Amino acid sequence: MKKYTYTESKDTRSGFGAGLLEAGQKNENVVALCADLIGSLKMNDFIKAYPERFFQIGIAEANMMGIAAGLTIGGKIPFTGTFANFSTGRVYDQIRQSIAYSGKNVKICASHAGLTLGEDGATHQILEDIGLMKMLPGMTVINPCDYNQTKAATVALVDHEGPVYLRFGRPVVPNFTPADQKFEIGKAVMLNEGTDVTIVATGHLVWEAIQAGEELEKLGISAEIINIHTIKPLDEDAILKSVTKTGCVVTAEEHNRLGGLGDSVAQLLAQKLPTPQEYVAVNDSFGESGTPAQLMEKYGLNAANIVNAVRKVITRK
């Protein structure tokens, strides 16, 4: 049974902007910080509604993380905003020492993640951020798939105590999850039930997995498709239940195959249910300049690659 309906295409960063405004309405302790990228992070509506609760830090991302950590001591719930590359790689030491180590209630909100940042090229297309963040003790890692889910995830962070890395993107992508769907941190979403293979996808690759599932259906292959919006903590029960039924799995993500969702799933299966697995991810390389569609095709991150991975993994059962 399919549990998704395509409605329109929107960028996930706009979902964050809408969610941030709603988060501010929900709790007066929500504050926002930005490193000179207000328009790119879609933070304008929050600033218009709550100018006294916004801090423009400028191009000083490490300082932004330190300030955010300090604000939590007074009971504030800070949401930081900048590109994923600057939210993680540039400020890893500050996140580790000032936020993660001391368990500060900071929400690290990162736009322009992965290859679909596009034409800005390899220096800005961080593909290691999920791995960097999930290795930090106590850090929750969330990678929603569309506008609606990004908005819901942003609002959900208000009631979650502890540091969170929220990852979203720049391009316009299909919006297909229900606008009223409850977002539960750590709880996977079943999108399509199947019997032959489990496809576990996250972020922009969820829609590609859906397209792959429809193509596989034409080939007589029944794919169970799971949307893993929370990479840490991983919904182990949902994955194990599905893989027990199908006997093989394909993981799909817009991230380096080292350290991302695929590795989390492989670690789980190695410990509890050894299972044939194939990865759809960037194969240990940096990106390059190009349109999102060009890059997704060149680096093997589209529906056709998921179909090929499924056909390969099924032969290993």
Side-chain angles (χ1 to χ4, degrees), residues 5-262:
T5 303
Y6 171 76
T7 55
E8 58 185 330
S9 290
K10 302 176 77 172
D11 54 317
T12 51
R13 58 179 172 153
S14 288
F16 165 69
L20 181 63
L21 175 61
E22 189 169 321
Q25 295 166 343
K26 182 177 181 179
N27 191 315
E28 63 181 10
N29 284 319
V30 169
V31 296
L33 301 84
C34 190
D36 203 31
L37 288 166
I38 292 171
S40 294
L41 271 289
K42 306 296 183 180
M43 301 174 87
N44 305 75
D45 288 342
F46 180 91
I47 296 169
K48 184 177 179 180
Y50 306 109
E52 75 285 358
R53 288 155 60 183
F54 173 75
F55 303 92
Q56 173 59 277
I57 309 303
I59 306 174
E61 294 86 357
N63 193 32
M64 179 170 69
M65 295 303 170
I67 292 171
L71 285 166
T72 66
I73 298 172
K76 300 303 181 184
I77 307 172
F79 285 65
T80 68
T82 186
F83 290 178
N85 193 22
F86 309 145
S87 290
T88 57
R90 177 172 287 185
V91 295
Y92 196 72
D93 182 56
Q94 284 71 29
I95 292 173
R96 182 183 188 276
Q97 308 293 14
S98 299
I99 296 174
Y101 176 68
S102 50
K104 293 294 189 290
N105 191 31
V106 176
K107 316 308 176 185
I108 302 165
C109 305
S111 183
H112 292 56
L115 286 174
T116 50
L117 170 57
E119 291 84 350
D120 285 358
T123 57
H124 284 47
Q125 295 163 353
I126 193 161
L127 297 165
E128 317 91 65
D129 54 319
I130 290 174
L132 287 170
M133 292 295 105
K134 79 175 188 179
M135 285 190 295
L136 290 170
M139 181 69 71
T140 295
V141 180
I142 299 174
N143 188 39
C145 64
D146 66 0
Y147 173 94
N148 284 342
Q149 193 166 77
T150 306
K151 179 182 178 182
T154 305
V155 176
L157 298 190
V158 176
D159 297 323
H160 176 82
E161 181 67 30
V164 178
Y165 178 58
L166 177 65
R167 181 191 207 245
F168 44 94
R170 175 187 188 181
V172 171
V173 294
N175 191 34
F176 56 92
T177 63
D180 59 351
Q181 184 180 83
K182 182 180 179 182
F183 187 90
E184 296 183 60
I185 295 173
K187 187 69 174 176
V189 179
M190 178 73 70
L191 294 176
N192 188 58
E193 296 180 11
T195 56
D196 297 326
V197 62
T198 299
I199 302 176
V200 177
T202 188
H204 293 149
L205 268 291
V206 175
W207 180 252
E208 297 297 325
I210 289 171
Q211 299 305 297
E214 294 179 355
E215 185 62 31
L216 290 165
E217 190 174 9
K218 297 175 185 176
L219 301 173
I221 298 172
S222 174
E224 185 145 289
I225 303 171
I226 302 176
N227 171 8
I228 297 287
H229 52 66
T230 307
I231 295 169
K232 182 188 177 186
L234 190 67
D235 190 341
E236 297 185 355
D237 290 342
I239 294 169
L240 292 171
K241 181 179 179 181
S242 178
V243 173
T244 297
K245 176 173 59 174
T246 65
C248 62
V249 61
V250 169
T251 54
E253 59 192 311
E254 187 187 349
H255 189 269
N256 194 322
R257 64 175 293 163
L258 305 174
L261 170 65

Side-chain angles (χ1 to χ4, degrees), residues 294-308:
Q294 288 171 334
L295 295 168
M296 294 284 272
E297 180 175 359
K298 176 169 182 176
Y299 290 86
L301 304 184
N302 57 24
N305 293 103
I306 296 174
V307 170
N308 290 338

